[in-house]
Amino acid sequence: MKKIKLDRRIFFAGIVLLFFVSCAKTPNTETIRRYARASDAYAAGRFSETAGILEKEKKFPPALILRAKAEYFSGDFKSAEKTCRRALKARPSSFEAKLLLTRVLREKDDLKDAVKSAESLLADNPQDIRALRLAADIAAETGKNDEAAALLDRAAEFSAESAMVLLDRARLRWVAGKGQEALEDLSRARAMLPWDTPLLRTIINLENLISEAAK
């Protein structure tokens, strides 16, 4: 039974890895096994163990990013920066590695490099809310409050787009007979709206409709 569970983890880890592997050499079975074990440890909050499991992984981007996250949450920012840079060397386009490196530089109070990293991140991902929030925080810490406010305004605008995604999913869930789950999506969507918009009225009307149908 233990072997079956392990094989299932490896199978699903392999599916996930397909999204990360492009021109790079396909990881071997041992790499996938190690990544699956590390993912389990990370999910359980065992960050030191996660970093230890992936210590020998030098080229596989998903493993390097996971290791860097574990080092970051362990407070080992020096190692996290080194691992992030190794991940970016292996895959320069990795958004997750760039985002984490920016966070690491900020935690190290290396604000000059953190600003450069944030600018590079936004150049490639101008609509990502996480990148906008992080860039805004760094701008505020460097005394650029007007820039921080402008970045947060942009993040607020894109959060409305995310609210629309939840609204669409709520409609599908209601049609599928999942009224409670639909209401949860609508509640989250309403909380994400940065201001009063016609979308808010649409959300409220659908909430009322679902609630009435449930009586």
Side-chain angles (χ1 to χ4, degrees):
M1 180 63 71
K2 183 176 181 180
K3 182 178 184 300
I4 292 175
K5 290 182 178 179
L6 178 60
D7 289 342
R8 284 178 178 173
R9 290 201 301 269
I10 293 171
F11 173 75
F12 287 114
I15 293 176
V16 172
L17 300 185
L18 290 175
F19 289 96
F20 292 94
V21 179
S22 56
C23 297
K25 183 179 179 181
T26 303
N28 57 35
T29 301
E30 180 56 33
T31 296
I32 295 176
R33 287 178 181 274
R34 191 178 293 122
Y35 183 77
R37 286 176 51 220
S39 296
D40 284 347
Y42 182 83
R46 302 194 300 271
F47 303 126
S48 296
E49 180 182 341
T50 302
I53 293 171
L54 298 174
E55 184 177 3
K56 294 182 179 180
E57 293 296 333
K58 305 298 183 182
K59 297 182 179 181
F60 187 50
L64 290 169
I65 293 171
L66 184 60
R67 175 182 166 187
K69 287 180 178 179
E71 291 166 341
Y72 173 80
F73 286 116
S74 296
D76 187 357
F77 303 128
K78 183 178 180 180
S79 295
E81 179 182 356
K82 183 178 179 180
T83 306
C84 279
R85 294 192 185 280
R86 187 184 291 274
L88 286 170
K89 184 177 181 180
R91 187 179 293 279
S93 62
S94 173
F95 171 78
E96 290 296 329
K98 288 181 181 179
L99 182 67
L100 184 57
L101 176 60
T102 307
R103 294 186 187 281
V104 169
L105 293 171
R106 177 193 177 195
E107 291 294 340
K108 292 178 63 182
D109 291 325
D110 187 354
L111 294 181
K112 182 179 179 180
D113 285 343
V115 168
K116 292 180 180 178
S117 184
E119 289 174 348
S120 174
L121 190 64
L122 283 176
D124 294 331
N125 306 273
Q127 298 182 359
D128 189 273
I129 294 176
R130 292 175 297 171
L132 287 165
R133 287 185 58 201
L134 180 56
D137 287 344
I138 294 173
E141 290 180 11
T142 55
K144 300 177 181 178
N145 292 329
D146 290 342
E147 181 180 334
L151 289 166
L152 289 175
D153 284 343
R154 285 169 57 189
E157 291 175 7
F158 294 126
S159 71
E161 292 292 326
S162 299
M164 291 181 69
V165 173
L166 289 172
L167 173 59
D168 290 342
R169 190 171 72 171
R171 287 181 175 134
L172 288 176
R173 285 181 161 176
W174 183 41
V175 171
K178 300 177 181 179
Q180 185 57 43
E181 292 179 10
L183 287 173
E184 290 173 2
D185 272 349
L186 291 171
S187 178
R188 291 174 57 197
R190 181 150 42 87
M192 292 176 70
L193 291 177
W195 48 70
D196 187 7
T197 69
L199 181 59
L200 177 59
R201 291 191 291 276
T202 300
I203 292 173
I204 293 174
N205 288 339
L206 185 54
E207 282 180 324
N208 292 336
L209 186 61
I210 294 173
S211 298
E212 286 296 325
K215 292 181 180 178

